[in-house]
Amino acid sequence: MNMSGKSAYDVLYERGFIEQVTDEEPIQSLLEKETVTCYIGFDPTAASLHIGSLVPIMSLVHMQRCGHSPIALVGGGTALIGDPSGKTEMRRILTRDEIDANAEAIKKQLSQYLDFGEGKALLLNNADWLAKLNYVEFLRDIGRCFSVNRMLAAESYRIRLETGLNFIEFNYMLLQSYDFYYLCKHYGCILQMGGNDQWGNIVAGIDLTRRLEEKKIYGMTFPLLTTSQGHKMGKTEKGTVWLDAALTTPYDYFQYWINTEDADVKRFLGLFTLLPVEEIKESEKLVDSELNMAKAVLAFEATKITHGQGAAIAAWGAAVNNFGLKPVSPNLFPSSSIPRTSADLDASAIPTVEKTRAELEGGIPAFELFYDVDLCASKGEARRLIVQGGAYVNGRQVEVFDEKIGEGNIENSEIHLRKGKKQHMVIRVS
RNA sequence: GGAGGGGUUCCCGAGUGGUCAAAGGGAGCAGACUGUAAAUCUGCCGGCGAAGCCUACGGAGGUUCAAAUCCUCCCCCCUCCA
């Protein structure tokens, strides 16, 4: 229970986290009355999590805030196998070293969201127990509890049966089930949560634990997010939106969220911010372009959670500067710490490259410059951009593809480049 | 192990000797319209400052003036049989 008197179940439910639960009533009362240890697995298949993992992360945050005891399980062991759920193709099998390195990085990342202080939350790696398993013993003790018939009926496998599924992937379910059993036995974990594609794996773990321990445990899944347009979350022109500031800058992260489609704003505020639901409901009254204020708050709060208040303010400042973002009125989202005036503007988050005066001497053809500062992936693309009228220098459209940009364009030691309406780049001249 | 079908550009997918940087769709980029939204319409969509050249149709060789297309070997995937 948190201060508001809401149980974790209520919180998760009203914020839109819950897609399916194994047993609604028992889970509700459990979360109301006891300190529940729950877990979610995170795949260390990359060195950073991306926003696809944000729903699970936020769910653990809420669990912790409500006084429960989350376990974030890094799947160092299961990643050696590769989860086939929701995939149409087998994924590349990573080496042990790659996975270990990724697991380490992900641990650090999760620490930004959850307090792993003594007794508050745990961060475990299933390689610690899975890697030690003995094949024959495992088959005898665990394998015998699984019905191949039932496994084949699982949604996650059925899709793959059409294109092919090999034995290593087929075993993934057993290992994840074993994780749940292991965490239940050794850590008292009785609830596993995850994306809805994990339903089959979660249920299998519950069955296994019932058979081995005669203990009833539970599962909860989250909706798999797509935007209202059915697009996958977290993909932009620059690729995946990562949680690591080195891979996706706070500025780009902020931009990703502020570009949320109208229809998704309310849902996303519930899932990706910690603002009270009552305030989020208020935002329903916003119509048309007023909705952009709610988007600004969403972007600000989401950036704050991942990158901190300072980075969020800087990203917001850059948005005010570049896009004329309007301040959010004080009576909207009173809990948000978004700046309400542009008085103390900090635009330092605009992407910047450094150049010396000497480099600009004589001028650089515009298309080369756009390529050089990474606004365009190739010179050809830069040429097309300019020809199509999408390139700007200090707000002025570039008309000739090889127009020389140089000292003459420096204003206040800066040259401001823009690609289309949204992508800005400042050249700071020293 | 045997028989058959496949592996094409970011993804799906057409192409089966020159007209192929490769149809079509999706994604993406830009423009118009807007509200940094959606929808719609238009243009673009391998690289190189033009001609032209280079790189690309699983991998390695070969045939040919010419190969994504034909031949040989290899790798991988699927289906049926064992």
Side-chain angles (χ1 to χ4, degrees):
Chain A
M1 285 269 195
N2 64 7
M3 296 79 77
S4 65
K6 284 174 185 165
S7 79
Y9 189 93
D10 296 337
V11 170
L12 292 176
Y13 182 79
E14 67 188 8
R15 289 186 160 268
F17 281 87
I18 299 178
E19 171 89 12
Q20 285 193 83
V21 288
T22 50
D23 305 85
E24 190 165 351
E25 309 245 309
I27 292 173
Q28 268 176 331
S29 76
L30 219 51
L31 288 173
E32 227 165 85
K33 293 174 188 141
E34 294 174 29
T35 298
V36 171
T37 301
C38 59
Y39 104 85
I40 296 180
F42 295 91
D43 255 350
T45 40
S48 169
L49 296 170
H50 51 84
I51 62 174
S53 295
L54 223 40
V55 167
I57 292 173
M58 293 305 290
S59 77
L60 290 184
V61 169
H62 288 296
M63 287 296 282
Q64 185 167 60
R65 283 159 63 98
C66 291
H68 298 292
S69 178
I71 296 173
L73 180 68
V74 175
T78 29
L80 291 164
I81 305 281
D83 183 4
S85 305
K87 313 266 179 328
T88 50
E89 264 175 52
M90 180 163 169
R91 58 167 77 161
R92 189 172 78 86
I93 292 185
L94 299 155
T95 66
R96 189 65 202 266
D97 287 347
E98 285 174 305
I99 290 168
D100 287 348
N102 291 345
E104 240 353 89
I106 285 167
K107 269 188 177 184
K108 256 188 220 131
Q109 216 158 39
L110 287 170
S111 309
Q112 292 181 315
Y113 301 88
L114 293 164
D115 180 357
F116 288 105
E118 192 64 32
K120 294 195 176 134
L122 281 174
L123 198 48
L124 303 173
N125 186 334
N126 63 11
D128 292 343
W129 54 86
L130 292 182
K132 287 187 213 148
L133 288 176
N134 169 297
Y135 190 59
V136 175
E137 271 176 40
F138 185 77
L139 286 181
R140 283 174 54 115
D141 299 340
I142 309 300
R144 72 181 164 82
C145 298
F146 285 81
S147 148
V148 171
N149 305 250
R150 285 192 56 188
M151 288 172 74
L152 291 175
E155 177 70 21
S156 51
Y157 288 131
R158 242 184 342 194
I159 302 166
R160 285 299 299 278
L161 277 154
E162 284 163 28
T163 55
L165 175 73
N166 62 20
F167 192 65
I168 186 172
E169 295 174 288
F170 190 57
N171 278 272
Y172 188 90
M173 181 183 271
L174 302 226
L175 293 189
Q176 186 165 331
S177 299
Y178 183 77
D179 281 344
F180 198 3
Y181 158 73
Y182 186 93
L183 290 173
C184 175
K185 190 168 177 183
H186 297 277
Y187 295 91
C189 175
I190 58 165
L191 175 65
Q192 181 180 177
M193 308 189 290
N196 203 235
D197 57 345
Q198 296 301 310
W199 182 256
N201 293 336
I202 292 172
V203 170
I206 292 172
D207 281 348
L208 176 68
T209 309
R210 180 171 43 75
R211 287 175 187 231
L212 295 178
E213 295 285 297
E214 294 183 4
K215 192 164 167 32
K216 175 110 175 119
I217 56 178
Y218 305 91
M220 176 189 290
T221 58
F222 314 124
L224 291 179
L225 283 196
T226 52
T227 68
S228 294
Q229 298 307 309
H231 296 142
K232 256 192 205 139
M233 289 283 296
K235 301 283 180 190
T236 69
E237 64 276 10
K238 287 176 184 161
T240 306
V241 181
W242 301 99
L243 301 182
D244 183 339
L247 298 172
T248 299
T249 62
Y251 170 83
D252 285 325
Y253 193 79
F254 184 98
Q255 286 298 317
Y256 176 79
W257 291 110
I258 204 166
N259 278 305
T260 296
E261 294 164 23
D262 287 6
D264 294 323
V265 174
K266 191 188 152 214
R267 188 162 57 118
F268 287 2
L269 281 165
L271 292 169
F272 302 117
T273 75
L274 293 169
L275 299 171
V277 278
E278 293 72 25
E279 293 181 19
I280 294 171
K281 280 202 186 104
E282 280 294 298
S283 72
E284 276 180 346
K285 294 174 188 159
L286 298 172
V287 290
D288 300 332
S289 60
E290 284 174 2
L291 244 187
N292 287 349
M293 282 195 252
K295 292 185 189 182
V297 170
L298 167 64
F300 180 85
E301 292 295 320
T303 306
K304 186 173 93 177
I305 291 169
T306 298
H307 298 295
Q309 172 90 1
I313 289 180
W316 169 82
V320 171
N321 256 8
N322 282 345
F323 299 102
L325 183 66
K326 292 186 195 72
V328 176
S329 68
N331 47 357
L332 275 173
F333 303 102
S335 301
S336 172
S337 55
I338 190 169
R340 305 293 169 158
T341 66
S342 38
D344 45 1
L345 201 60
D346 171 9
S348 61
I350 298 177
T352 301
V353 291
E354 303 282 338
K355 285 224 176 291
T356 61
R357 212 161 254 279
E359 288 176 276
L360 294 166
E361 197 162 282
I364 301 173
F367 74 101
E368 283 188 14
L369 187 62
F370 274 75
Y371 166 72
D372 185 49
V373 301
D374 269 351
L375 277 173
C376 296
S378 69
K379 292 180 189 174
E381 187 187 314
R383 290 183 57 141
R384 273 177 245 128
L385 174 77
I386 295 167
V387 169
Q388 296 189 115
Y392 298 81
V393 173
N394 296 330
R396 179 184 57 81
Q397 191 175 57
V398 180
E399 279 161 15
V400 186
F401 81 95
D402 59 353
E403 179 180 325
K404 292 272 173 66
I405 308 299
E407 294 149 297
N409 302 92
I410 300 171
E411 294 176 2
N412 301 323
S413 307
E414 289 181 349
I415 300 176
H416 196 134
L417 303 184
R418 177 154 65 87
K419 174 188 180 188
K421 276 180 289 193
K422 296 188 190 176
Q423 296 181 58
H424 297 254
M425 181 66 70
V426 169
I427 300 174
R428 196 155 290 152
V429 186
S430 52

